[in-house]
Amino acid sequence: MSGDDTEHEIITPPETLKQKVSYSPEGVDQATLDRAEEVVAGLQADYLTWVQDDLSRMQEFFAEALENPDRRGDLAAKIFHVSHDVKGQGGSFNYHLMTAIGNLLCRYIEAKDTITDADLAVIRLHIDAMRLVIAEQMEGDGGERGRELIGGLEAVITKNLGRPAS
């Protein structure tokens, strides 16, 4: 509580929202929240399968970009979109390191107007790093090893761009 004497107004949600979410004047129903957390925890093993499928798609786009220099921009955009999905899902399943790597890759691709051979090498490092995280099931931030991985990717990005990707 902020310590102020302001009276707070309770806003009643519309009926359509009430049908979708368990609601009480005190906030979200804890039992509903607990059930949702159980469902997410149950999906964590499935996440490893899903993300491996995503990484396979990224690898296919990467291989195609190697073979078709004239399509690299379009294929990098496809890699960006898959990486964006991976980074969005990682934190939900306690793979925050995947989120961090996906974020670095997305920022790198966004910073590029054209995709060169050197850029493909940087993209490949990110895909390989994601594969390592999943193969070794490096949950959370990956600890010291995760920090080293992120530091190495950041150094490569800075070297290639001449500045950080942010």
Side-chain angles (χ1 to χ4, degrees):
M1 198 80 194
S2 63
D4 63 18
D5 293 329
T6 312
E7 225 175 284
H8 297 279
E9 179 181 353
I10 295 177
I11 300 171
T12 305
E15 196 59 40
T16 55
L17 182 59
K18 283 183 185 179
Q19 294 168 2
K20 294 179 183 179
V21 178
S22 296
Y23 175 81
S24 72
E26 294 81 34
V28 175
D29 178 54
Q30 188 60 44
T32 301
L33 184 59
D34 291 343
R35 283 193 306 276
E37 287 176 356
E38 286 176 20
V39 169
V40 169
L43 293 173
Q44 188 167 0
D46 292 337
Y47 170 72
L48 296 177
T49 302
W50 300 333
V51 79
Q52 286 173 350
D53 291 344
D54 287 338
L55 293 175
S56 293
R57 287 181 32 230
M58 289 171 67
Q59 184 61 44
E60 288 171 17
F61 297 142
F62 174 82
E64 196 172 338
L66 282 175
E67 307 257 335
N68 300 292
D70 56 320
R71 295 196 53 227
R72 286 182 178 173
D74 293 333
L75 293 163
K78 289 181 179 187
I79 292 169
F80 172 92
H81 290 294
V82 176
S83 181
H84 191 272
D85 289 345
V86 168
K87 80 175 187 152
Q89 297 166 356
S92 297
F93 298 101
N94 195 30
Y95 281 87
H96 303 289
L97 188 52
M98 290 295 285
T99 297
I101 296 168
N103 186 49
L104 286 174
L105 179 54
C106 286
R107 288 189 355 228
Y108 182 78
I109 292 171
E110 284 178 328
K112 301 301 296 182
D113 291 327
T114 59
I115 302 296
T116 66
D117 288 343
D119 297 323
L120 286 178
V122 173
I123 291 169
R124 174 67 185 246
L125 287 173
H126 284 78
I127 295 170
D128 290 347
M130 289 179 177
R131 285 195 181 284
L132 177 69
V133 170
I134 297 307
E136 296 191 10
Q137 297 184 11
M138 297 171 68
E139 293 184 11
D141 67 358
E144 181 61 32
R145 198 148 176 229
R147 287 185 289 282
E148 289 174 3
L149 190 57
I150 292 299
L153 291 171
E154 287 173 337
V156 168
I157 288 171
T158 299
K159 180 179 179 186
N160 208 36
L161 289 178
R163 61 176 172 74
S166 53

